[in-house]
Amino acid sequence: MIRIAVDGDVSGIERIFGSFGSVQLFEGRKLRRQDLTSCDALIVRSVTKVDARLLADTKIKFVGSTTAGIDHIDVDYLARNNIRFACAPGNNAVAVAEYVLAATMLCAARRGRDFQQLRFGIVGAGHVGSALIERLDRLGIDYLVSDPIRAARESNFVDSELTEVLAQDVVTLHVPLTLTGAFPTVNLINRQSVNCLPPEVLLINAARGGVIDEAALLAWRGHNPHAYLAIDCWVGEPDVNQELLACADIATPHAAGYTIEARERAAQMIGNSLCEYFDFGSQNLGSGDGSASDLAVAPNEDVHTIVNRAYDLALRTRRFKQLGAVREKFDHERKEFGLRHEFSHFRLASSGFAANTVATLRALGFECEDA
């Protein structure tokens, strides 16, 4: 048996990690080295920086992060000190893809446009970008993709120039935050590239805050007041640029990928990795409540209205903007946001709906049944 320090906001803590030993809970942003002196394993979220300052002179042998991104982890330090690391790539891909589609529908509805007639520019085709592409294909929506890393290793990958991708109606960012390498993504949207965006673009950042130069975006927005900004990731979280917050049309606390289902998938992935590393043998880690919920809708409601019932981004934006001292309330709002379900959780009676409406709802992931 081992002692495991686990962020208290990780899903299924006792069910997934309790069978491996004793569990010690902590608050993500307040974890200190002295809290880990007797622990063998550490399970974190993106709010905890894991490096030498946190782990030096501890007994930690395993670090798991219930996240897809790893920019909060000093992976080189872990490797040098023979500390096993595991993360959860792809756990939130569906959730983020649904965030992008919900944001697009909200923008389109406010502008009186059909969201399925908008053309997407997708920057990054990893787990999240691929999940979005799959849904756009099902919906019959056109898109261009820029991912030079995939293009370099996959001969059949259709890659477009970044400038062309940034010129589409909807531009959505799905890249990790990288500072080095052949294609660094820090400040990918900068004083030069921002000028590729159309004046009425919907720009969505559900990647990392640092991929956008916020000052450059604000300066550009000052000259392009009809652009529509959906910002989920911010430089310096939980501190948020108040000027960008004020002008963002959709503003959320780094919660695009934070759903009940995504959190469950992530915890399961880390639990399996921990089980393998410590050689606990075959374990049944169980699963969360996967039951569907009925969503009450009327046959005359359009797709955007139905999506809004499942995922009210306008309401979430109002709440986030009204927080005032954002730093102190950022994590609480994110936690509340994470109580939402993905579209597949919702079941609705489709009798009376037009056939194309049912097809669109199913393409989005909703469970549609005849009444």
Side-chain angles (χ1 to χ4, degrees):
M1 303 294 280
I2 60 174
R3 186 171 183 83
I4 312 168
V6 184
D7 186 306
D9 284 333
V10 168
S11 180
I13 293 173
E14 284 300 327
R15 172 171 49 83
I16 294 176
F17 299 104
S19 61
F20 302 130
S22 61
V23 172
Q24 171 184 313
L25 301 182
F26 63 86
E27 187 176 338
R29 295 194 196 276
K30 296 182 178 180
L31 183 66
R32 298 295 180 264
R33 183 191 305 176
Q34 53 266 35
D35 301 325
L36 301 174
T37 54
S38 62
C39 295
D40 305 290
L42 171 64
I43 313 299
V44 302
R45 299 180 301 121
S46 61
V47 298
T48 302
K49 178 67 174 176
V50 179
D51 55 16
R53 286 174 295 180
L54 182 66
L55 297 185
D57 301 320
T58 69
K59 301 191 303 177
I60 296 293
K61 305 179 188 69
F62 177 97
V63 172
S65 181
T66 60
T67 60
I70 59 172
D71 48 284
H72 58 298
I73 306 290
D74 186 341
V75 292
D76 292 333
Y77 171 81
L78 298 187
R80 289 196 307 270
N81 288 273
N82 199 30
I83 298 172
R84 175 68 66 87
F85 173 62
C87 60
N91 79 87
N92 63 350
V94 171
V96 179
E98 291 179 355
Y99 174 96
V100 169
L101 291 168
T104 302
M105 281 184 263
L106 179 56
C107 171
R110 287 174 172 174
R111 292 176 169 175
R113 297 189 63 182
D114 180 354
F115 84 98
Q116 289 181 268
Q117 297 304 311
L118 299 176
R119 189 171 173 88
F120 277 66
I122 303 169
V123 183
H127 291 286
V128 174
S130 296
L132 177 60
I133 287 168
E134 178 184 347
R135 282 153 182 77
L136 295 179
D137 283 337
R138 296 202 301 249
L139 291 162
I141 295 176
D142 292 333
Y143 56 85
L144 295 177
V145 183
S146 172
D147 191 322
I149 294 178
R150 282 194 61 181
R153 72 169 185 256
E154 300 174 32
S155 60
N156 61 344
F157 182 79
V158 180
D159 187 57
S160 298
E161 291 292 334
L162 180 62
T163 54
E164 190 177 4
V165 171
L166 294 181
Q168 304 309 306
D169 301 312
V170 180
V171 174
T172 182
L173 308 176
H174 303 295
V175 294
L177 179 61
T178 57
L179 308 180
T180 60
F183 305 102
T185 63
V186 63
N187 291 338
L188 186 68
I189 304 300
N190 53 44
R191 293 189 183 277
Q192 289 74 44
S193 61
V194 74
N195 292 312
C196 298
L197 299 171
E200 295 190 0
V201 70
L202 164 57
L203 176 65
I204 304 173
N205 183 17
R208 285 292 187 268
V211 304
I212 290 180
D213 179 336
E214 293 180 348
L217 180 62
L218 284 166
W220 178 86
R221 173 62 185 271
H223 298 288
N224 297 273
H226 300 298
Y228 199 97
L229 304 181
I231 308 296
D232 182 60
C233 301
W234 313 78
V235 174
E237 298 170 7
D239 290 315
V240 170
N241 185 319
Q242 294 297 303
E243 187 179 356
L244 183 57
L245 176 64
C247 77
D249 300 276
I250 295 173
T252 46
H254 200 149
Y258 212 46
T259 62
I260 291 172
E261 291 81 4
R263 292 165 59 211
E264 174 68 22
R265 285 191 290 268
Q268 289 273 358
M269 292 168 74
I270 299 304
N272 288 330
S273 295
L274 186 147
C275 181
E276 177 186 0
Y277 176 71
F278 285 100
D279 196 21
F280 285 119
S282 178
Q283 296 279 332
N284 181 7
L285 301 181
S287 61
D289 180 11
S291 59
S293 294
D294 291 322
L295 191 64
V297 295
N300 62 341
E301 290 183 332
D302 59 20
V303 171
H304 167 252
T305 302
I306 294 169
V307 167
N308 192 63
R309 290 183 184 279
Y311 196 0
D312 193 339
L313 275 175
L315 173 63
R316 289 295 179 179
T317 294
R318 289 194 297 272
R319 283 187 52 169
F320 190 47
K321 289 193 172 193
Q322 291 167 359
L323 287 180
V326 173
R327 177 182 178 84
E328 288 73 20
K329 300 176 182 178
F330 187 96
D331 289 335
H332 173 76
E333 186 66 10
R334 186 171 191 252
K335 184 175 181 178
E336 290 295 311
F337 204 104
L339 297 177
R340 71 181 177 92
H341 284 284
E342 293 168 8
F343 295 159
S344 60
H345 173 79
F346 297 102
R347 178 178 54 228
L348 54 91
S350 59
S351 178
F353 280 94
N356 63 332
T357 299
V358 175
T360 299
L361 290 169
R362 285 177 173 158
L364 288 167
F366 290 91
E367 182 180 338
C368 298
E369 296 181 345
D370 293 332

